[in-house]
Amino acid sequence: MSEKPTILAELEHTQQKALALLAEIQDEEPLQAWKREYLGKSSSVMSAFSSIGQQPKEFRPLVGQVANQVKQALEAALEDRARIVTEAALTRKIADDRVDVTLPGRQPLTGGLHPQTLVLRRIFAIFAEMGFQVYRSRDVESDEYNFELLNIPAHHPARDMWDTFHIDQPGVVLRTHTSPGQIRVMREQAPNPIRVILPGMCYRYEQISSRSEIQFNQVEVLAVGKNITFGDMKGTLNGFVRRLFNADVRTRLRPSYFPFTEPSAEMDVECFVCGGKGCSVCKGSGWLEIMGCGIVHPTVLKNGGYDPEAYSGFAAGMGPERISMLLHKIEDIRYFWGNDARFLEQF
Amino acid sequence: MKIPLSWLKDYIDIDLSLEELARTLTMVGLEVEEISVIGLPLPENSGRQEFKFTGLAWDPEKFIVAQINEVMPHPDADRLTLCRLYDGSQEWVVLTGAPNLFPYKGMGTLEQPLKVAYAREGAILYDGHKPGYELSKLKRTKIRGVESFSMVCSEKELGISDEHEGVIILDPDAPTGTALVDYMGDAVFEVSILPNMIRDASMVGVARELSAVTGKPLKIPSRKATSTGPRIDDLAAIEINDPNLNPRFVLGLVQGLEPKPSPYWVQRRLRLAGMRPINSIVDATNYVMLETGEPLHAFDYDVLVQRAGGKAPTIITRAADPGETLTTLDDVERSLDQHTILVCDTAGPLSLAGIMGGLESEVTETTRNVLLEGASWNFINVRRTSSRLHLNSEAGYRFGRGVHPALASWAVDLGLERMAAWSGGTIAQELVDNYPQPPFDPLVSISVQDVERKLGVTIPAQQIAVILTRLEFVCKVDGDIVQAQTPPHRLDIGEGVIGKADLMEEIARIYSYNNIPETNLADELPPQRNNLELANEEKIKDILAGLGLQEVITYRLTSIERETRAYLQGQSLDPENYVRLLNPIAPERSVMRQSLLASVLEILEKNARIREHLAFFEIGAEFIYEQKNSLPMEPRKLVIGMSGKRSNPSWDLQTSGNLDFFDLKGVLDAMLQKIHLQDVSFQPAKHPSLHPGKCAQISVNNTMIGVFGEIHPRVKQNYDFLTPAVYIAEIDLEALLPLIPLRFETSPVSVFPPVLEDIALIVEETIPADKVEALIRQTGGKLLADVRLFDVYRGDRIGAGKKSLAYSLTYQALNHTIESAESTALRNKIVRRLEREIGAVLRDN
Ligand SMILES: [Zn+2]
């Protein structure tokens, strides 16, 4: 019987040493070096397999078995260690990978709608739900539709209420309000009931300033039928204002004058900037003038083709620019048609 | 109109606070814009302030009615006086510099002491020496060696007016020792008068509205003084040429008067109401106008007699002859036309009826006899004349809106009485009253049901009658019907159904709009209809905004010069077709635009200074006047304008180059796709603003809907652009919108895998790319799911006059997987067809 070959002790020693070294390894690179050293072709474990033939015959199986055990133990340990090293590397990588979140974002190109398209849509939508449809009519109007048929005869004191742009053709003006559309829609629809809103650009001869423009949008509301009352006007307009501004805004109607309505009223809403205490927006009054309104004048009904003894109606008119100015604290009305990108992009 | 509270109280008892009064006036239609407090305490700020208050409250302890018993010279200063002043409890020596006290200097103890407004040390008042109204506190000082701790006040110091020439000398009956605020504290309500409420441009008018709301009785003033002079009939006569122009003319006469300063309370009231006191004669006419709403005019009677050659004058009213002139009392010669109404005598024109008196017959310091006119005029003529002459007077303001003729005799009577009271003299007996055309004061009947139908509230007939009666309608109630006779001070009540509406307004005002309940519309809904034009316009706006374009809305008023900039020389829009303003505010806003394109170019130009990437669009009308005897056409257009960088600059990326023709075309492609238009094609085109080689027209189903391309370099030179090129699309919405289908169909999506293949084809330069693509699609048929051009190459490798088009083809079937044999066959078929029809050559890579 031969003595136990020394290789067995060497393998055991190698295993202990290799495992001890492996346990210290933290990074990928030494891990690979370790793999080459202890599991590579020329490593002592691998050499042990090729040296089996040189061992005494009766020990050959044992040497093979031990070498195999050592190899498996080292491989298993390597796998575990590799997992730990990779995990640690990922953790370190994540820990090092950061951006300055305060750097500006890369803006995609964004388009947008003009603020007055947006506010008109809000107005249209609220009235649409109450059954009012949009009716548009022309900008350049006849004196007849803009004034005469609306109960504003030539030289009538009421004409002072509108500073009119006249065209070089006799009897033609730039509409001073969307009210001529009232006559047009009535003549088209009589004797059907009417619920329309009439938006459009209007024109007045004025000096342009931060508060007044020569060109402005107007939206009129017109309801005509057999049972339409001042109370309905109050309800409809209050409903609109509460939806546009807020649910519990206070409003008031006070007498006013328009030639095409009687009784006529001015609707004020409680200033939502100061809550009615008085501020620069409401000029200290606590109220904001928001629209004119009234019961359609019998002469206008008649001119539109409706019998004033059988039909009644109400009309109201508001300035969408004023509404935008109030909603968005716009202090200069010239911004609207100035179309500076820096203004438009804020909507 | 300025309404002093103290004056208003002559005609109605008021027990409302200043705020309640302002609210009440506003709610009957007399909107209070501002309240100036003249001495009365300002309301406490409760957090919710409905009205704007300004002014100065007089501390009752510090401001006292006092009397000056003697005015003594100052020992060292000529321009100062020392006054021996009694404040009701004690006598003081008070230093003043008031020139209106000089005449009393050295007269010793005055027989009739001068009543003054006296401010004690610590009083807060306005500094009379500083411009504007600056508050200061009265402190003890020494002036020229004399100690001063109190003062006698001017109107400015008290906030009554800007008068600071002298101190106020109160009327002799002012009670010495009383707090000044109790004697003459006041508040002035600045009220805006609606055009149909000119009857309320008077104290009595405002009081009447208050009476209607509060139920307190209206105290209408009337003449009490008796006439002691001769009968007027023998002293003046009236001839009215046209009663339509002059429905009534009334004359009264005061003899032996003498103009002097009016009593202080009259002067103060006039000032608070916004008028300047002149003398006791003119003041009387103004006072009565403010009181009644009827403007009066005073003639120097002796001048008229002289003009009549010593005889009794005859007043003649008539329309002016064209070319006639008159010098008005402001010393301006006015040239008149046939719409002007003149008050004349036998020697010629005397005054512009209802607007302004003439210079010659004006009342002066030497006037001793006054002929007083109260009349009524056709408001249209008065308005025409005052607007033509740019002559705004208090009389013209009222007569130009219509004053009821019934007021004339009432006001003349009051005027005569006040004139005689303030200027001395005796009133001639009777009036000369020529009243050829009394207006018709309608009788209107209105029922409880009428009111219900229009207002939505049931008001009993009795209550309707009470409201109208308080407004001086004479009412008869018969069941549910109220018959109301219009009172003779209103011209705004019509007949029949219009009269009903007029009464409805009166009822609603006085009943209060606040008391009408809020209801929801319950009436029948109108027939519902689509508004496709609007819906599609809004849809296009959304699509373009989604594609990164910003909507603009520009001025529709522009100038021909501005629009001419947008076109090549000689190719601008026809100047004959412009809608031209007769009265532009400025030359640059003198016509309605004919070119939306020009408007959008201006916005691009303006924003080119602040943004590197420009992409805008506008939808709106153009105005084209082809047939001048009708109204102009207002076709709606869409204009898109793009220029500058393709994307926004970023902190770590270089920009992606400049926008070009195909960026704009891409936007148009995407837009047309999203509105589901079929059969869209592009052909080279010409446009007077665009580059001849980079301009295309868009057709849908052979209908031309618009043109786009690069702005012609020569046009671009007219603008201040820093960007290399500007691209514009001009779409005719009148043509496009009707083509948008009401509904569209979708294609199914295949579950079988696609086969992708790239081919590059060399073709002649002259072959348009869309023809190549159309042939590929046609040949590929249903199996060719997509074709995308991904490269265009020109160069030496393929020879001059040729281009290489590289396409990415996607083969995909709905019902099976395409194998390579099938796709190869399809590809060969496509290539062969292209070879045959357009001489294309497959390019080897
Ligand atoms: Zn406010």
Side-chain angles (χ1 to χ4, degrees), chain A residues 103-104 106-114 116-117 121 124 131-134 136 138-142 155-157 160-161 164-169 172 174 184 192-196 201 203 205-206 208 213-215 225-232 234-236 238 242 250 252-257 262-265 270 276-277 284-287 289 295 297-299 308-312 314 336-342 344-345, chain B residues 26-29 31 47-52 194-196 379-380 383-384 400-401 452-456 497-498 500-502 504-505 508-509 513-531 533-534 537-539 541-542 545 548-557 579-585 589 592 603 606-607 610-611 613 616-617 623 625 628 631-634 636 646-648 650-653:
Chain A
L103 281 171
R106 239 169 262 123
Q107 285 256 340
L109 292 175
T110 49
L113 297 174
H114 191 278
Q116 291 321 90
T117 293
R121 284 186 181 183
F124 293 175
F132 288 80
Q133 295 192 291
V134 173
R136 299 195 288 192
R138 53 172 39 259
D139 288 22
V140 184
E141 260 298 358
S142 65
H155 306 295
H156 191 274
D160 291 355
M161 295 166 80
T164 310
F165 280 120
H166 297 273
I167 300 305
D168 64 356
Q169 300 301 304
V172 182
L174 299 189
R184 293 188 181 276
N192 287 327
I194 292 175
R195 282 188 207 180
V196 291
M201 206 62 94
Y203 308 85
Y205 182 94
E206 274 183 51
I208 300 177
E213 258 293 0
I214 52 171
Q215 164 184 321
K226 287 187 174 157
N227 300 294
I228 290 177
T229 67
F230 194 95
D232 291 343
K234 267 182 99 165
T236 307
N238 276 333
R242 288 181 196 128
R250 295 204 311 153
R252 72 170 186 195
L253 281 183
R254 60 187 158 78
S256 187
Y257 171 72
E262 192 172 31
S264 301
E270 192 174 45
K277 288 194 189 74
S285 74
W287 292 102
E289 217 172 281
I295 296 300
H297 195 278
T299 303
E309 296 279 15
Y311 288 85
S312 57
F314 68 80
F336 290 109
W337 322 138
N339 294 296
D340 188 307
R342 292 166 297 184
L344 298 176
E345 284 163 5
Chain B
T26 299
M27 286 310 295
V28 292
E31 189 191 356
R48 218 205 114 70
Q49 190 149 14
E50 251 181 280
F51 296 96
K52 188 177 168 191
L194 295 168
N196 65 334
F379 72 89
I380 290 175
R383 281 171 56 73
R384 280 191 126 154
R401 281 164 177 73
E452 258 168 11
R453 192 169 74 84
K454 294 259 177 178
L455 300 185
V497 68
I498 292 170
K500 255 185 211 178
D502 295 333
M504 203 79 72
E505 179 164 70
R509 265 184 337 116
Y513 289 4
N514 283 337
N515 294 333
I516 297 175
E518 186 182 325
T519 49
N520 286 325
L521 277 169
D523 201 44
E524 184 193 346
L525 268 176
Q528 296 295 292
R529 62 194 161 76
N530 269 331
N531 197 338
E533 190 194 291
L534 176 69
E537 276 187 14
E538 295 302 313
K539 185 175 181 182
K541 286 183 187 175
D542 282 333
L549 282 86
Q550 171 65 51
E551 187 195 9
V552 296
I553 299 177
T554 57
Y555 277 106
R556 295 175 181 196
L557 288 161
V579 176
R580 288 168 195 260
L581 300 195
L582 210 54
N583 56 335
I585 52 155
R589 304 269 175 231
M592 292 297 276
I603 299 306
K606 176 177 171 179
N607 282 293
I610 50 174
R611 286 287 181 273
H613 166 85
F616 297 105
F617 75 93
F623 301 87
Y625 224 146
K628 294 276 164 124
L631 292 172
M633 296 187 297
E634 301 185 358
R636 294 179 74 79
R646 192 164 285 140
S647 64
N648 288 327
S650 164
W651 52 273
D652 64 341
L653 290 180

Side-chain angles (χ1 to χ4, degrees), chain A residues 217-294:
Chain A
N217 275 296
Q218 195 177 48
V219 175
E220 284 204 7
V221 184
L222 176 69
V224 176
K226 287 187 174 157
N227 300 294
I228 290 177
T229 67
F230 194 95
D232 291 343
M233 175 176 85
K234 267 182 99 165
T236 307
L237 300 182
N238 276 333
F240 166 73
V241 164
R242 288 181 196 128
R243 288 190 58 185
L244 189 69
F245 296 109
N246 74 61
D248 36 52
V249 71
R250 295 204 311 153
T251 62
R252 72 170 186 195
L253 281 183
R254 60 187 158 78
S256 187
Y257 171 72
F258 307 104
F260 32 87
T261 53
E262 192 172 31
S264 301
E266 201 70 59
M267 181 177 232
D268 299 335
V269 301
E270 192 174 45
C271 177
F272 45 76
V273 176
C274 62
K277 288 194 189 74
C279 68
S280 64
V281 175
C282 57
K283 297 192 195 105
S285 74
W287 292 102
L288 300 168
E289 217 172 281
I290 216 75
M291 62 181 132
C293 56

Side-chain angles (χ1 to χ4, degrees), chain B residues 596-627:
Chain B
L596 183 60
L597 182 152
S599 304
V600 173
L601 267 180
E602 284 184 13
I603 299 306
L604 282 170
E605 180 188 34
K606 176 177 171 179
N607 282 293
R609 280 165 228 150
I610 50 174
R611 286 287 181 273
E612 288 184 79
H613 166 85
L614 303 168
F616 297 105
F617 75 93
E618 177 167 10
I619 285 181
E622 292 178 346
F623 301 87
I624 299 157
Y625 224 146
E626 278 180 356
Q627 292 216 299

Side-chain angles (χ1 to χ4, degrees), chain A residues 8 13 17 34 52 73 87 143 159 168 198 202 217 224 249 256 258 268 272 281 312 321-322 329 340 347:
Chain A
L8 291 172
H13 175 71
K17 186 182 169 197
W34 180 92
I52 288 177
E87 262 311 303
D143 188 273
R159 287 233 176 172
D168 64 356
L198 307 117
C202 305
N217 275 296
V224 176
V249 71
S256 187
F258 307 104
D268 299 335
F272 45 76
V281 175
S312 57
E321 277 80 75
R322 174 161 169 76
K329 195 170 178 272
D340 188 307
F347 292 88

